Amino acid sequence: MTQFDKENRTTDLDILEAFVSIKRGQSKHKESTLHKPLLLLFMLGKYWNNSARLLLFQDMRFPFEQLLKDFCGPKIHDEAVMYPFWYLQSSHQIWTVVGEKTINKWFGAKNRSDKRPSIADAMNCALFGGFTPHVYRRIINDKVMLLEIVFTVLREFFPIAKHIPLLQSIGIPSKSKPSVFQQQIFANYHYSCSICEFPGIRNDASMDLQVAYIRPPVAGGPKTNQRNCITMCDKHKNLFDFGAFTISKESEILISEPFRTRGGSQNLLSYDNKRAIFPDDPNTRPDERYLAWHRTKAFQTAS
């Protein structure tokens, strides 16, 4: 049983911190490898497509090996697939390995990670690997949280230029190329989320950055007025549209009381009363008329 399973007070922020705190292996040149982050993304892609929690090693071996070759170079060690699969257990809050047969001959009772089975051993022993039950339950029915983990791993371990190719490789579809109008809005906000400053991707398909209408066109808002638009990452756009938070006249982020009392995302709660990042140019900053509409018509209030 993992620490997450034992504690009912685990927050989304705790889970995100566990993903960015993984201990990575080192290459012969003493550089941190990307094998573990790639395995995390590989599994997140499987879960995005509704995979079971645990995957049989022999089923994931060759697809994951191809991912390693695509993003770490074609000349990877024969056992490179086994390294992250086995040693990611040191991040016990996230990853677990189980087998149908005993595998005690490869590790002592006190330390499961002190020895590593070979690929042949893993195949013969029918080893399964995957996220711990707590993490799996948290993300399998909440694709917004799953995406937040994906983007956190991408941002922490990979350059922006690799984000879209990685998303495509793990089976998470990217959106179509932004329109000229959307690209202008992105440029106004320096290609980042106005709430968390998550970076977008310039001149390319991007699923992590969107244009959020303050007053949506379906509610009478203008569709091509830059001052009715704010750039946000997927997660914060969804929450803004839902009315989980709004923005004050002084640009402060205000969290709705119903969202707060329901135990909403710790990630969003951490931005309560902080200032949204808006353009300096008054011609592109959000118009207070639209923000006032959002505060009175879209923002969730206690009934």
Side-chain angles (χ1 to χ4, degrees):
M1 183 176 292
T2 69
Q3 181 179 339
F4 281 172
D5 291 324
K6 293 177 181 178
E7 296 183 2
N8 295 325
R9 296 187 300 274
T10 301
T11 66
D12 291 351
L13 189 59
D14 292 330
I15 294 175
L16 290 171
E17 288 178 349
F19 274 84
V20 301
S21 300
I22 60 171
K23 183 178 180 180
R24 292 193 285 163
Q26 290 189 331
S27 69
K28 62 182 180 181
H29 302 296
K30 303 300 182 181
E31 297 174 344
S32 295
T33 67
L34 295 173
H35 296 180
K36 287 182 180 179
L38 282 171
L39 180 56
L40 293 176
L41 289 175
F42 177 85
M43 290 302 295
L44 287 163
K46 293 297 183 183
Y47 297 150
W48 174 267
N49 291 289
N50 301 312
S51 167
R53 181 175 72 87
L54 298 173
L55 294 184
L56 189 62
F57 176 80
Q58 64 189 52
D59 290 340
M60 63 183 292
R61 174 190 173 185
F62 292 111
F64 179 55
E65 183 179 83
Q66 186 59 54
L67 189 69
L68 286 174
K69 289 180 178 179
D70 290 343
F71 292 94
C72 295
K75 295 182 179 180
I76 61 171
H77 191 275
D78 289 343
E79 295 286 323
V81 176
M82 196 65 209
Y83 291 156
F85 180 86
W86 187 254
Y87 290 117
L88 197 53
Q89 289 179 96
S90 61
S91 302
H92 60 278
Q93 295 175 325
I94 300 174
W95 186 260
T96 186
V97 173
V98 298
E100 293 180 354
K101 302 177 182 178
T102 180
I103 47 178
N104 287 332
K105 65 179 180 179
W106 289 301
F107 51 81
K110 295 183 179 179
N111 186 355
R112 293 191 55 164
S113 300
D114 59 354
K115 296 181 181 179
R116 174 182 56 80
S118 67
I119 286 180
D121 293 330
M123 303 280 278
N124 293 334
C125 197
L127 291 185
F128 288 77
F131 287 3
T132 55
H134 181 89
V135 175
Y136 180 77
R137 287 194 301 268
R138 179 64 190 87
I139 66 176
I140 195 61
N141 294 315
D142 186 347
K143 294 299 177 67
V144 174
M145 179 60 181
L146 189 153
L147 285 178
E148 184 167 3
I149 295 174
V150 168
F151 296 144
T152 298
V153 173
L154 288 173
R155 179 174 53 187
E156 185 71 19
F157 300 111
F158 299 93
I160 288 177
K162 297 290 186 182
H163 290 189
I164 291 297
L166 273 166
L167 289 170
Q168 294 171 339
S169 294
I170 64 176
I172 297 181
S174 58
K175 292 181 172 61
S176 59
K177 187 174 182 177
S179 67
V180 173
F181 176 73
Q182 289 174 318
Q183 291 186 54
Q184 181 59 58
I185 303 300
F186 292 159
N188 293 344
Y189 286 80
H190 302 287
Y191 302 90
S192 64
C193 174
S194 60
I195 306 303
C196 65
E197 298 185 86
F198 187 91
I201 301 172
R202 300 188 183 200
N203 301 319
D204 203 345
S206 173
M207 73 171 303
D208 56 312
L209 194 64
Q210 293 194 46
V211 172
Y213 283 108
I214 305 170
R215 181 171 182 171
V218 295
K223 189 174 183 179
T224 56
N225 186 331
Q226 295 184 34
R227 301 194 66 192
N228 188 36
C229 298
I230 306 175
T231 58
M232 293 184 185
C233 62
D234 265 1
K235 182 178 181 68
H236 290 133
K237 178 187 181 300
N238 289 337
L239 292 171
F240 184 72
D241 291 344
F242 184 64
F245 73 95
T246 192
I247 299 171
S248 74
K249 188 175 182 179
E250 292 75 28
S251 304
E252 291 182 339
I253 299 164
L254 307 176
I255 311 298
S256 81
E257 194 59 32
F259 182 81
R260 190 193 306 274
T261 56
R262 287 198 302 267
S265 167
Q266 291 295 317
N267 174 273
L268 178 60
L269 292 174
S270 68
Y271 293 101
D272 194 20
N273 293 319
K274 293 185 178 179
R275 289 187 179 275
I277 310 300
F278 291 152
D280 293 328
D281 184 351
N283 295 316
T284 57
R285 288 177 64 86
D287 191 314
E288 170 56 23
R289 293 176 299 168
Y290 305 130
L291 288 174
W293 179 92
H294 190 273
R295 291 194 296 270
T296 57
K297 301 296 184 180
F299 186 50
Q300 295 182 23
T301 56
S303 56

